[in-house]
Amino acid sequence: MSSRERMPTRVISARSKTSHRVGDIWRYRELLVGLVRKELKVKYKNSLLGFLWSMLNPLLYLVIFTIVFQVFLRNGLPRFPIYLLSGLLAWNLFANSLMAATTSITGNGSIVKKVHFPREILPLAAVGAGLVHFFLQAFVLLVSLAAFRHGVAPSYLLLAIPALVVLLVLLAAMAIALSAINVYLRDTQHLLELILLAWFWLTPIVYPYRLVADRLSERGQLWLLFLNPMTSVVLVFQRGIYNILEHESGGTVINILPEGVSITWYAWHLAAVGAVSVVLLFGALRLFSRLEGDFAEEL
């Protein structure tokens, strides 16, 4: 009997248990880190500015939206750049990572067909690369805070840490599911672009939360706003960083963020999104395991 025949063969089942798949991802964590590095290197290969492009993205948004909403539409929000960046930071992580993750399986077809490893690592690597960009873009926010000499709310800002964790769990769930679906339905990646565009405007990032919340409250439909999981996440970042509940201008009071609520209110909404995200993650892993078996044929 040859040495090859004596070696134990591990078969990766297309329908293995979710707990086993999570264990496989953990065992291949070094590969995950390596793929994150690869994502970052490939994206900025032969680029003169390199990682500076990650910082230019929020700066471009900042310039355009400030001109549109402060100069032309005159929304009256004080220190609008801080308000915009505090919400945009979380949104960019969500949208950019999800777009990259959706095409991660189809974009690495040659690896998927030749090498055995937990395929979920590919969309998770896209999320990991997005997290690196998140911290780079956070530097732009820090510079803005220093430039405006803007004070944050320390107790609420601490809640941004679990908010980031919740966002990553939600991202992982959607990334794993959409990357598998996109193998069979390539229109998924194009449809996602349109969905994210609409989703952005349904999230209070460029307009005050209270602008929509007050009108929905009058109809007893405030719950509709929180069907969007990004609303709870963005509000935590805005409350901790922006920290302006209302503003009076010309005798008119502009309501901005939730008023008269404690940190528990934010934590409760965040916990609800977290619980749903965990359920979605396990559902995404089960879906992935069912679809993974025919990846090679479809690619």
Side-chain angles (χ1 to χ4, degrees):
M1 183 179 293
S2 65
S3 60
R4 181 184 296 271
E5 292 173 334
R6 287 195 300 268
M7 289 179 63
T9 302
R10 184 169 183 271
V11 178
I12 299 178
S13 171
R15 296 196 179 190
S16 59
K17 291 182 179 180
T18 303
S19 58
H20 293 167
R21 303 187 73 86
V22 173
D24 285 339
I25 294 172
W26 175 251
R27 282 188 288 273
Y28 280 81
R29 59 187 180 278
E30 291 184 5
L31 175 61
L32 175 58
V33 174
L35 288 174
V36 169
R37 292 174 180 169
K38 171 182 170 292
E39 289 277 341
L40 296 172
K41 289 180 180 179
V42 169
K43 184 172 183 178
Y44 297 114
K45 185 179 180 180
N46 297 327
S47 171
L48 293 176
L49 295 180
F51 287 103
L52 287 177
W53 285 113
S54 293
M55 301 180 189
L56 290 176
N57 178 284
L59 282 175
L60 180 61
Y61 273 97
L62 182 63
V63 171
I64 293 175
F65 282 120
T66 298
I67 293 174
V68 171
F69 286 93
Q70 291 275 276
V71 178
F72 294 108
L73 298 182
R74 299 183 182 278
N75 61 9
L77 286 179
R79 300 188 177 180
F80 178 73
I82 303 297
Y83 178 80
L84 175 64
L85 287 175
S86 60
L88 196 62
L89 189 65
W91 176 260
N92 278 349
L93 170 60
F94 177 73
N96 295 340
S97 298
L98 199 55
M99 280 300 303
T102 300
T103 58
S104 61
I105 303 293
T106 55
N108 292 279
S110 58
I111 301 176
V112 171
K113 290 186 289 187
K114 294 179 181 178
V115 183
H116 289 291
F117 65 97
R119 308 295 193 259
E120 297 93 336
I121 283 183
L122 291 172
L124 291 179
V127 174
L131 184 60
V132 174
H133 295 306
F134 170 85
F135 288 113
L136 290 173
Q137 293 179 5
F139 180 75
V140 177
L141 177 59
L142 291 175
V143 172
S144 300
L145 290 173
F148 283 92
R149 296 182 180 180
H150 184 83
V152 299
S155 58
Y156 287 89
L157 189 58
L158 287 175
L159 202 58
I161 297 174
L164 178 59
V165 174
V166 168
L167 178 55
L168 290 175
V169 175
L170 176 64
L171 251 177
M174 296 186 66
I176 290 172
L178 291 177
S179 65
I181 294 172
N182 191 59
V183 173
Y184 299 90
L185 301 172
R186 302 298 172 91
D187 287 337
T188 302
Q189 62 197 65
H190 305 296
L191 179 61
L192 181 62
E193 292 182 19
L194 298 178
I195 292 175
L196 287 175
L197 178 61
W199 200 334
F200 174 80
W201 292 105
L202 290 173
T203 306
I205 297 174
V206 297
Y207 55 84
Y209 158 83
R210 293 281 296 275
L211 180 68
V212 179
D214 289 346
R215 296 181 182 181
L216 289 177
S217 295
E218 294 174 359
R219 304 174 184 176
Q221 298 175 335
L222 183 60
W223 58 272
L224 287 173
L225 190 58
F226 289 96
L227 287 179
N228 175 5
M230 287 302 296
T231 296
S232 298
V233 174
V234 166
L235 281 177
V236 169
F237 279 89
Q238 290 173 339
R239 183 64 178 87
I241 299 171
Y242 183 63
N243 191 32
I244 299 178
L245 304 183
E246 62 180 22
H247 175 68
E248 184 176 350
S249 178
T252 302
V253 177
I254 302 173
N255 296 318
I256 305 173
L257 295 175
E259 191 176 21
V261 298
S262 65
I263 193 172
T264 305
W265 184 87
Y266 289 91
W268 187 89
H269 282 86
L270 200 60
V273 176
V276 172
S277 299
V278 170
V279 173
L280 290 176
L281 179 57
F282 279 93
L285 288 170
R286 289 181 64 86
L287 175 65
F288 196 96
S289 69
R290 288 180 175 275
L291 299 180
E292 183 185 18
D294 295 325
F295 276 3
E297 295 180 7
E298 295 293 329
L299 294 172

